[in-house]
Amino acid sequence: MAFIHCNDTGGRFYLKAYHIVGRLASSADTVISSPEVSKIHAVIEWSLQSNGGYWSITDLSTNGVWVNGDKITKAIPQLLAMDDVISFSANQVNSMTLADISSPKDLLLNQSDSNLAPIELNPYLLLPNDEQPEIALFFDELKANWFYEVMNSSHHESVMVKDGQTVHFGKQDWSLLINAEYDKTEVLTADKFEQPEAQLVLDVSLDEEMIEARLQLNNKTINFSTRTHHYLTLLLARKRLKDTADGLAEFDQGWYYSDQLSKDMGLDACHLNIHVHRARKQFAEQCQQYLNLPLFERKTGRIRINLTNIIINKGGKLEQNIA
């Protein structure tokens, strides 16, 4: 998690992919309230390359920017390196040191204790930990936004979290700091979710103790191996197949009420949500580059599997009668 260290105050500023430094509080990510500093003084920017990336700084000011004591050329990006000292005035006050040159990361910052280390985010997190989760925090690639779900809730409602907004867990409030840049993909409508070339195959033992899942994508097979959360996928797949056989419209197919799903799986709401989280995470990690499709669709109190092309083999034979 890249950051700059303020040499005057000892403060730390985590770098956004496009990080503005200046006097104008409404526009700058790092504000320096000195008269010699321009409203928009400089931009520190992350550039991604195939072999990694690099940081640079561009002077947009009236009075100039200095790196390690040397004034840089205005409007020309200057490459930055670890421990470079950046000054925003000729007398070298308001200087900052580039203390970490890793890529920008989205973070959770503790709102009551700034000394607590930030939480670096990956696309799928159980918080405060995997053993006793209170919320699931995940990144929706299609919508290019973070969402959270309360684990002990049966409503299955995903709530969007924007930059600066708060999530609560472990009896503490944490604010989301979005530093990375995302390309927003077109949000797919329901009719675009049905992709005949994507087929989910579930191989189930007669006692249903062993369930293997795989996804067929044209000539490619993605194996999900055996996981405990595949029983969740199996129940949702059966519900989708039954509703299809009963002639329900696609819009109404496959919806499983969360309370009933908890009963059918013998799990409380929290453990059901853990299964959903793990299934969604595995599917996304293994299929994201091949299929722009979330595994589950959720509405308040209901959940369904998004795929419509499903085959269930039980005991080596095609399962025909979906009760």
Side-chain angles (χ1 to χ4, degrees):
M1 59 186 89
F3 66 90
I4 48 178
H5 176 81
C6 181
N7 298 325
D8 296 336
T9 66
R12 175 181 293 191
F13 300 96
Y14 295 99
L15 291 175
K16 296 179 178 290
Y18 189 85
H19 195 95
I20 298 173
V21 179
R23 185 161 42 88
L24 189 62
S26 60
S27 299
D29 300 298
T30 296
V31 178
I32 304 176
S33 54
S34 296
E36 66 270 25
V37 174
S38 299
K39 292 181 179 179
I40 304 296
H41 198 98
V43 170
I44 302 173
E45 188 172 8
W46 172 257
S47 297
L48 186 63
Q49 293 184 326
S50 58
N51 60 346
Y54 62 88
W55 289 98
S56 64
I57 186 168
T58 303
D59 176 20
L60 304 176
S61 71
T62 300
N63 296 323
V65 172
W66 287 256
V67 175
N68 299 325
D70 297 323
K71 191 174 184 179
I72 68 174
T73 304
K74 186 173 182 178
I76 302 296
Q78 168 77 36
L79 294 182
L80 293 173
M82 185 72 175
D83 296 326
D84 277 353
V85 178
I86 307 167
S87 301
F88 301 95
S89 62
N91 57 12
Q92 305 298 297
V93 297
N94 302 315
S95 68
M96 299 183 182
T97 300
L98 185 59
D100 189 306
I101 59 172
S102 59
S103 61
K105 301 289 186 182
D106 290 349
L107 305 172
L108 287 177
L109 303 180
N110 191 277
Q111 291 191 344
S112 58
D113 187 354
S114 59
N115 292 319
L116 277 179
I119 298 174
E120 186 173 316
L121 300 184
N122 61 55
Y124 295 90
L125 277 177
L126 293 176
L127 295 167
N129 53 60
D130 288 355
E131 289 70 36
Q132 294 181 312
E134 296 175 24
I135 67 169
L137 186 67
F138 64 95
F139 187 77
D140 188 315
E141 292 284 346
L142 295 179
K143 299 177 181 177
N145 278 304
W146 288 97
F147 290 82
Y148 79 89
E149 296 168 352
V150 178
M151 299 305 287
N152 64 0
S153 172
S154 61
H155 292 296
H156 285 290
E157 185 173 5
S158 300
V159 180
M160 183 186 298
V161 192
K162 297 182 179 180
D163 189 28
Q165 289 187 332
T166 299
V167 294
H168 182 85
F169 58 88
K171 299 181 179 180
Q172 294 181 316
D173 289 329
W174 298 77
S175 60
L176 176 65
L177 180 63
I178 296 180
N179 291 330
E181 278 189 332
Y182 302 102
D183 293 326
K184 196 159 189 175
T185 306
E186 177 191 2
V187 178
L188 298 181
T189 55
D191 61 326
K192 294 181 182 178
F193 280 138
E194 188 171 354
Q195 300 186 39
E197 71 277 13
Q199 183 181 69
L200 179 66
V201 181
L202 298 171
D203 293 315
V204 186
S205 64
L206 287 174
D207 58 7
E208 301 192 356
E209 291 294 324
M210 297 289 291
I211 303 172
E212 293 185 355
R214 65 183 184 274
L215 194 69
Q216 298 289 151
L217 293 171
N218 296 328
N219 296 323
K220 184 174 183 62
T221 300
I222 301 174
N223 290 305
F224 299 111
S225 302
T226 302
R227 296 287 190 276
T228 55
H229 55 248
H230 288 339
Y231 187 60
L232 165 74
T233 308
L234 174 64
L235 292 185
L236 293 174
R238 282 173 171 163
K239 185 70 167 69
R240 187 95 197 206
L241 289 174
K242 180 180 184 302
D243 288 352
T244 302
D246 289 345
L248 270 66
E250 193 279 335
F251 181 81
D252 296 318
Q253 291 173 11
W255 291 110
Y256 217 128
Y257 283 95
S258 302
D259 291 341
Q260 186 60 50
L261 187 56
S262 291
K263 292 178 183 179
D264 292 345
M265 293 189 66
L267 300 173
D268 60 24
C270 182
H271 285 89
L272 172 63
N273 286 330
I274 290 175
H275 280 259
V276 172
H277 174 82
R278 289 174 176 167
R280 180 169 52 196
K281 178 181 179 181
Q282 184 189 26
F283 186 89
E285 289 177 344
Q286 293 187 231
C287 300
Q288 184 173 293
Q289 59 181 315
Y290 307 109
L291 187 64
N292 201 9
L293 175 74
L295 177 60
F296 297 130
E297 184 178 359
R298 292 178 133 175
K299 293 183 179 179
T300 303
R302 296 182 295 167
I303 183 172
R304 73 171 178 178
I305 197 167
N306 255 328
L307 297 174
T308 57
N309 193 347
I310 302 169
I311 290 178
I312 301 174
N313 298 312
K314 185 170 182 178
K317 296 180 180 180
L318 180 65
E319 186 172 83
Q320 299 285 354
N321 298 315
I322 307 296

